Each structure stands twice: as C-alpha cells, then as structure tokens.
Amino acid sequence: MAALTSVSLSTIVHSSSQRRAFASWTSSLASATGSSPIRAGFACHCMGIKASTSRMVVNCMSSITDLPTVAETKLDFLKAYKRPIPSIYNTVLQELIVQQHLMRYKRTYQYDPVFALGFVTVYDQLMEGYPSDEDRDAIFQAYIKALKEEPEQYRIDAKNLEEWARAQTASSLLDFPSKEGEVEGILKNIAERSARGNFSYSRFFAVGLFRLLELSNATEPTVLEKLCAALNINKRSVDRDLDVYRNLLSKLVQAKELLKEYVDREKKKREERTESQKANETVKSCLGEPQPQPQYVGQ
C-alpha cells in the first residue's frame, strides 16, 4: 500500500498516447464535478423533498448560520481519514467533496434518498478495486461526516431503495402514483414538487433513477421515458447525464488498468532486485569472500 500511495499519475502514464488519454480522463472528471451549467458530469445542485411521516423521507434543510468554508470541509475530511489515498482516487474525491459542499450548504438544501442512492452508486463505482475494503468504508464515513451528514443514513436509504427496486418490474415501477409505500411516497413527492417547479434536479438524482431501473430490469428506453414523464423530469437532461456517467465509468476502468499495470511492473522489479541481491550474496559466500561482521558496543 505504501508504494501505491506514493505513485503520481504522471509516473504511471509513460507513452504519449497514454498521457493524452489520462489527461482527457482527469479533465473530464474535473469538469464533471464543476458547478458551471455548461460543464458535463456530476455537478451537485440542491435537491428538495418535503418533510413526511415516511421513515425514508428526511427533511434536512440547511439551517446552519455559521457556514463552514470549503477548506474547512476538506480539512475535516483529512482529519477524519489521515492515511494517504492513491492519487487516482483522491483526485476525484477532492473534486466531489468541493462540489457537494457547495450543494450541502445552499439555503434550500434538503436531504433526499434518491440523491443518496445516486451518490452511493457513484462512490462505490469510483472506489471499486480499492486496495482495502476497510479503508474504502472509512473514507466514505469521513467524506459524509465532513459534510455534517450521517453516512449510515446514506447507506440505509440506498439499501432500502435497492431492495424495493429488486422487487419491481417495469410496469410496477411506473405504477408508483397509484400505490402506497415509503419509496412510492418519495417518488410521488418528487413528481408533485417537479410539477410545481420547486424541485431542483441533480445529476446524482439521474444516477439514482438509473440504479432503480437497472435493479428492476427495466432498462428499455421507453421505461425511462415514461418514468421521467411520471416524475415531471426532463428526460433529455437525464439522458445527457447518464451518458456522461457511463463515459466516466469507462475512463475510470481504463485509468485503474493503467495503475494496476504500473503497480504490477514495480512489484516485478522489486522481486527481481531481491533475487539479484540474494544471488550475489550466494556467490560471495561460495567464493569465501569475507562477510560484514556485526559491531558490538565497546569494541
């Protein structure tokens, strides 16, 4: 792990084509989390959902008067997780936490389980293949707590929505307006807010919708179109953001492959150096060359 965390991305990428691909990847990730509306990616705009008696609909509108700065949020994250993070992961995490900070402390911010599902999905995809499962969870805990939120709530809500989606079909998923239930209540609330024009769409929300469709095996384009219509969400925005999401996942896979190749190559070099050193010591021993003697205090 120590060798892995000390590696810079510029060291990993050797050929000019690899450099261009990796530069494109890091540029895409940086712009993907930007707050500008003309940037593509996972910019986190505020999302709202009305307070309800449902356990899964949690009203978390920001009421903090003394708002922390971005630097303070990042510092809280570093204090909570003090171990080095490989730069391939850390680059994206730092971008995400900056943009989520800006979303978190908007006056109209309210916690939303569908958004939570989207974030958890993106985080798990990003951190897939991380050297340590324990560290991956510790980073998640530190990240959410730095934003003054509850990581357990994110995980619980994401799990509940996933379990609900697995029990659905394309038709039952679209029938949520006529059904009663926790998730159905969340979706109906979103539809009502969207119809009134006071629901703030987010790209993490788009990923959350995609995850619901994926788990219910309702991946036909017509199902997404009907679901967006039922939720009063602009399908073109969802399509655009899901395309970016898939593209980023593809580039993450490529980047992680480059990192793995580098780590494997360095490991092989270390093993070869060790074998060479052992061979030299064996030759010296056979030739009778004097070996260094330990020095004792007082000699």
Side-chain angles (χ1 to χ4, degrees):
M1 182 67 182
L4 180 61
T5 56
S6 63
V7 174
S8 67
L9 297 182
S10 60
T11 307
I12 297 173
V13 188
H14 295 284
S15 71
S16 60
S17 61
Q18 287 177 326
R19 288 193 187 96
R20 287 194 298 271
F22 218 89
S24 174
W25 175 77
T26 53
S27 176
S28 296
L29 290 173
S31 63
T33 53
S35 58
S36 172
I38 65 172
R39 290 181 174 179
F42 299 107
C44 305
H45 302 293
C46 73
M47 294 185 60
I49 190 161
K50 184 173 62 178
S52 167
T53 55
S54 170
R55 175 175 57 84
M56 295 181 64
V57 182
V58 183
N59 189 329
C60 297
M61 181 175 289
S62 178
S63 60
I64 302 174
T65 55
D66 187 16
L67 301 180
T69 64
V70 171
E72 288 171 337
T73 295
K74 295 177 73 172
L75 182 59
D76 286 342
F77 172 67
L78 295 174
K79 287 179 178 178
Y81 188 81
K82 299 179 180 179
R83 299 187 63 183
I85 300 174
S87 56
I88 191 173
Y89 301 97
N90 193 46
T91 298
V92 190
L93 285 172
Q94 293 297 323
E95 290 285 346
L96 288 180
I97 201 168
V98 168
Q99 298 308 319
Q100 199 159 345
H101 169 97
L102 299 177
M103 175 274 298
R104 168 70 176 88
Y105 293 108
K106 293 183 74 169
R107 183 180 57 83
T108 55
Y109 173 74
Q110 292 178 338
Y111 173 85
D112 172 31
V114 179
F115 168 84
L117 174 61
F119 174 77
V120 167
T121 300
V122 171
Y123 179 86
D124 288 346
Q125 291 281 359
L126 165 65
M127 302 298 284
E128 184 179 10
Y130 198 78
S132 166
D133 291 342
E134 182 179 352
D135 286 342
R136 183 170 58 225
D137 182 64
I139 292 170
F140 181 86
Q141 295 273 333
Y143 181 103
I144 300 298
K145 287 181 178 179
L147 293 161
K148 312 301 183 190
E149 293 191 315
E150 296 296 329
E152 292 79 10
Q153 189 68 46
Y154 271 72
R155 287 294 185 186
I156 290 171
D157 286 345
K159 181 180 178 181
N160 287 338
L161 264 67
E162 288 178 338
E163 290 177 351
W164 177 85
R166 289 190 181 97
Q168 304 304 310
T169 63
S171 58
S172 65
L173 184 66
L174 295 172
D175 285 341
F176 74 85
S178 62
K179 294 182 177 181
E180 297 297 328
E182 292 177 336
V183 178
E184 288 84 354
I186 292 172
L187 297 178
K188 283 188 280 189
N189 192 279
I190 291 171
E192 292 170 1
R193 288 172 57 83
S194 297
R196 295 196 302 267
N198 63 350
F199 174 76
S200 190
Y201 170 80
S202 129
R203 292 183 174 107
F204 278 122
F205 176 81
V207 177
L209 281 187
F210 176 77
R211 184 62 175 155
L212 293 178
L213 293 171
E214 184 181 43
L215 291 173
S216 60
N217 293 317
T219 54
E220 298 83 357
T222 55
V223 179
L224 176 59
E225 182 177 358
K226 292 177 181 178
L227 181 59
C228 288
L231 291 170
N232 299 304
I233 300 295
N234 188 327
K235 182 179 179 294
R236 293 179 64 181
S237 297
V238 175
D239 285 338
R240 179 196 63 223
D241 295 332
L242 292 181
D243 284 343
V244 174
Y245 172 61
R246 297 185 189 99
N247 187 42
L248 288 181
L249 291 183
S250 176
K251 290 183 178 180
L252 277 171
V253 170
Q254 296 173 23
K256 290 176 184 178
E257 287 175 354
L258 289 175
L259 178 61
K260 183 178 184 301
E261 289 174 5
Y262 175 84
V263 172
D264 290 343
R265 185 166 58 249
E266 291 300 303
K267 181 180 179 181
K268 184 177 180 180
K269 288 180 180 179
R270 288 196 299 271
E271 290 174 349
E272 290 175 350
R273 285 195 295 268
T274 301
E275 290 299 322
S276 177
Q277 183 178 0
K278 288 181 179 178
N280 289 336
E281 292 174 353
T282 300
V283 170
K284 289 180 180 179
S285 177
C286 291
L287 294 176
E289 293 187 13
Q291 300 296 316
Q293 298 298 318
Q295 299 296 318
Y296 298 98
V297 176
Q299 288 187 343

